[in-house]
Amino acid sequence: MISVEEALEILLSNLPERRVEQVGFQEALGRVLAEDLIATCDVPPFERSSMDGYAVRAADVINSPVKLKVVGESRAGGEIAPGIGAGEAVAIMTGAPVPEGADAVEVIEQCEIGDDAREVRILKPVRLRENIASRGSEAKAGAIVLAAGHRVGPAEIAVMATFGYERVKVYGRPRIAIFATGDELVEFYQTPRPGQIRNSNAYCLAAQLRLIGLEPDYLGIVRDDREELRRKMLEGLERDVLIITGGVSMGEYDFVRDVFRDLELEILFSKVAIKPGKPTVFARRGEKLVFGLPGNPISALITFECFVRPAVGRLCGMTAPELPRMHGELLGDMRQSPGRTAYMPAWVTWRDGGWKVEPLLWKSSADIVGFAGANAAFIFPKNRDLLRKGEIVEVMLLPDFFVRQR
Ligand code: AMP
Ligand code: MG
């Protein structure tokens, strides 16, 4: 059985080319840039005052307090002010061009304005270029301001507006289909008869995708029937990525693997040393990726985060879509039978100067209720059978970690 790391390596070396598309710059929010954006002009485009005050010649105010003659005003968006000579100053506002001849801006707090505003008394010397942002000091025309691979957030949108980018190239979003398998499944709006349960996995996986910014097509519940599975798989294969839950274990009615073979999918791995989630299957057909995730709710959730996220995140252009990890102190003894890397639900908080990992009680990989309070999963190394209270363990933060409350 391959390890989680080996499975990831196989996965990442089997990803198709990413699609690129052009979108309006505001629609680029949350997407990944597929082109370098260059500065289309200098920023600032002129010598810009960063304070309200008076534009002066630094040499004139070395022996301040001194009186200067006010020869004009420069305000943002106003007329260009006249240049200044020795003994002269121009009243200036934040964001306004510094007039010719001036080489510093004295802040308003160090200026006493004369009665008729034609004179100003400068109280303190100012350094050469103080409070002046020189032309091109933030970006020189032609320089790369946002490199391809950059994920677009609010500040990047502002950069695009600054340089007049109306449309930009971003990586496409993969189209994703999900279906659930199992004769026992009914939908959430139905009342299960004896022996039936409601399908929860399809909705959990869809929610996990939505947190990455992807909206999947849900294709419904498929019975444990080879022909029905085959038809639904063909429908799912019209998308870029197909995610199936259930039917990958070793039971009499677990037909997903068989149908993968019927459809001549290339099975790249079909068992991983992970707990929960051992029977996870990853296959491809040409450019299409197919994931067969186990039916147990936590298995589906964890294998999505460990395998589906790294793949679909990269298809969206992300360079590191994996969930962040950190170390924390385990607050209780934990046991497991060794052999597989285990992911166990935890509540992680910052307390007394360190991250604390509180293991949550859960019954099994079927126990979605027990998992529902977790903000992280701590990782039980596969060669260990006991982790002691006080040990430092590795934790994988769940995608909504930073906004979770309890
Ligand atoms: P399977 O992987 O099909 O053998 O299913 C393993 C367990 O997960 C069984 O107890 C199923 O009833 C349950 N299960 C399968 N699919 C789902 C689903 N979509 N939602 C909730 N539970 C499921
Ligand atoms: Mg099943």
Side-chain angles (χ1 to χ4, degrees), residues 68-314:
L68 300 177
K69 186 174 163 212
V70 178
V71 296
E73 179 191 86
S74 178
R75 64 185 182 89
E79 303 261 304
I80 298 299
I84 66 169
E88 294 179 338
V90 155
I92 195 163
M93 322 297 148
T94 302
V98 176
E100 286 292 316
D103 55 21
V105 169
E106 179 67 274
V107 293
I108 195 79
E109 291 78 6
Q110 300 298 339
C111 302
E112 270 175 20
I113 299 141
D115 288 340
D116 60 359
R118 269 189 234 138
E119 247 183 26
V120 63
R121 204 160 153 252
I122 306 291
L123 303 180
K124 265 178 73 178
V126 4
R127 282 192 325 269
L128 199 62
R129 316 256 347 129
E130 198 168 337
N131 300 321
I132 296 178
S134 43
R135 177 176 177 153
S137 60
E138 286 153 20
K140 280 248 178 302
I144 293 176
V145 282
L146 293 177
H150 214 98
R151 187 172 196 270
V152 179
E156 286 73 18
I157 298 279
V159 171
M160 292 170 189
T162 297
F163 295 104
Y165 281 97
E166 218 174 301
R167 296 178 71 74
V168 294
K169 283 188 185 143
V170 294
Y171 288 107
R173 288 193 167 116
R175 288 162 313 146
I176 302 183
I178 296 179
F179 67 79
T181 73
D183 284 343
E184 74 280 31
L185 300 180
V186 297
E187 286 296 9
F188 62 88
Y189 47 80
Q190 297 174 313
T191 307
R193 290 196 308 272
Q196 294 186 323
I197 59 164
R198 292 193 181 92
N199 163 29
S200 63
N201 292 349
Y203 300 101
C204 184
L205 293 166
Q208 289 174 285
L209 284 164
R210 249 177 254 131
L211 286 183
I212 310 181
L214 297 167
E215 194 61 53
D217 297 327
Y218 172 48
L219 306 185
I221 296 169
V222 179
R223 302 294 139 208
D224 293 315
D225 172 271
R226 264 173 104 136
E227 189 42 41
E228 213 183 306
L229 271 170
R230 186 189 139 85
R231 251 183 285 128
K232 197 58 98 175
M233 263 187 225
L234 285 173
E235 186 186 339
L237 281 164
E238 289 166 17
R239 320 300 197 283
D240 303 306
V241 178
L242 170 60
I243 304 171
I244 301 167
T245 80
V248 288
S249 309
M250 292 298 128
E252 291 278 332
Y253 299 94
D254 291 326
F255 294 133
V256 168
R257 272 193 189 73
D258 300 323
V259 180
F260 280 8
R261 290 193 198 95
D262 294 348
L263 292 175
E264 296 181 340
L265 301 192
E266 185 186 351
I267 296 180
L268 294 155
F269 60 75
S270 84
K271 232 177 224 157
V272 186
I274 186 172
K275 188 155 80 183
K278 180 167 86 174
T280 301
V281 193
F282 170 58
R284 62 182 278 182
R285 180 153 107 157
E287 298 282 275
K288 312 295 176 85
L289 304 183
V290 185
F291 291 90
L293 307 184
N296 268 319
I298 321 302
S299 312
L301 186 153
I302 289 290
T303 53
F304 176 94
E305 295 302 350
C306 291
F307 304 117
V308 182
R309 167 185 289 273
V312 299
R314 280 180 177 78

